[in-house]
Amino acid sequence: MHLSPAGTAALVARLRAAGCVFAEDEARLLAEAAATPGELEALAARRAAGEPLEHLLGAVEFCGLRIAVGAGVFVPRQRTAALVARAAGAARAARARTGRPPVAVDLCCGCGAVGRALAEAVELGELHATDVDPAALPWARRNLDPVGGTVHGGDLYAALPGRLRGRVDVLVANAPYVPTGALALLPPEARLHEPAGALDGGDDGLDVHRRIAAGAPGWLAPGGVLLAEVGEEQAPVLAAVLTRAGLRPVTWPPEEDGTTVVTGTRTGGPVPDTGPLVPVRRDGRG
Ligand SMILES: C[S@@+](CC[C@H](N)C(=O)[O-])C[C@H]1O[C@@H](n2cnc3c(N)ncnc32)[C@H](O)[C@@H]1O
């Protein structure tokens, strides 16, 4: 809806007082999303009370795409574009190695942003996505249907069709990795408005990743790659976990925000060519 200059100024001031750093942008987006003054008031009140902007708008921009997301579902983070870029590199390498479009799985898919961005970047033979949270599944279907992805509800690999065993070229997992003790330090938007199951990774943050690593060799194709996003300080631990699972780990240079991508290649395959950067470590040592 159209907002007068005075109305815009008042909304910006209200959002700024509530702690919104990009108050001008948010005011414009909320006004665009509202059809009536009543709707705008409701959206502004919810935003001022701390609900994530993306939940109110029903979408987030990710890898240049408009990804649908809503209340109660993890909002894809911009940093995860690095994971997508590595996964796209692994998918291209798989295609070059096998001569066919790769099979990809987005484990712990949330609203499916990673799988969608991967499918937009690289032609895939098959794309499957899984999440244990029923609230995430409709959003994942909405985002993955247009690229032919199939969404399965359930716990990690248990949700996947058995025929994918030993056939997955790219297994990408932005799984929970916040240590339980650090959950209280998260911003309120995450702490109060995203499900704990999307964030809580257990004592050292790597509980789900250990389970993913343990199962990966059985699902990966020869030369297939598991890719995960974790904190930089968690990377050596995850690399060691991948080694113990029988995968060949690579820890990639960290992003500016202190997260990094760790990959594990099914033993016998080549080290993944997932991008132009030189890996900082090629073994499980910290
Ligand atoms: C950090 S969020 C990431 C979501 C999505 N990959 C993204 O980047 O937007 C982690 C997701 O893992 C899911 N998850 C947690 N434990 C799981 C499990 N055991 N099996 C499947 N999904 C799980 C959560 O429901 C949540 O959607």
Side-chain angles (χ1 to χ4, degrees), residues 62 73-77 80 83 106-114 130-134 136 154-157 159 172-177 195 197-200 208 211 229:
F62 179 72
V73 178
F74 182 87
V75 177
R77 307 297 201 260
T80 304
L83 180 67
D106 178 3
L107 268 192
C108 299
C109 66
C111 70
V114 171
T130 77
D131 203 286
V132 76
D133 183 355
D155 180 47
L156 298 184
Y157 303 103
V172 62
N174 185 22
Y177 61 86
L199 305 166
D200 189 350
V208 181
R211 294 181 55 218
E229 174 190 300

Side-chain angles (χ1 to χ4, degrees), residues 51-137:
E51 282 192 49
L53 178 70
E54 296 83 356
H55 284 172
L56 299 178
L57 299 177
V60 57
E61 194 182 314
F62 179 72
C63 293
L65 303 165
R66 189 174 166 84
I67 301 291
V69 69
V73 178
F74 182 87
V75 177
R77 307 297 201 260
Q78 298 307 317
R79 61 172 172 261
T80 304
L83 180 67
V84 172
R86 297 281 172 211
R92 288 189 196 100
R95 168 108 201 205
R97 198 174 62 247
T98 65
R100 54 162 176 76
V103 174
V105 169
D106 178 3
L107 268 192
C108 299
C109 66
C111 70
V114 171
R116 172 66 183 264
L118 178 61
E120 296 280 0
V122 184
E123 184 198 357
L124 300 174
E126 284 184 57
L127 171 62
H128 297 266
T130 77
D131 203 286
V132 76
D133 183 355
L137 302 177

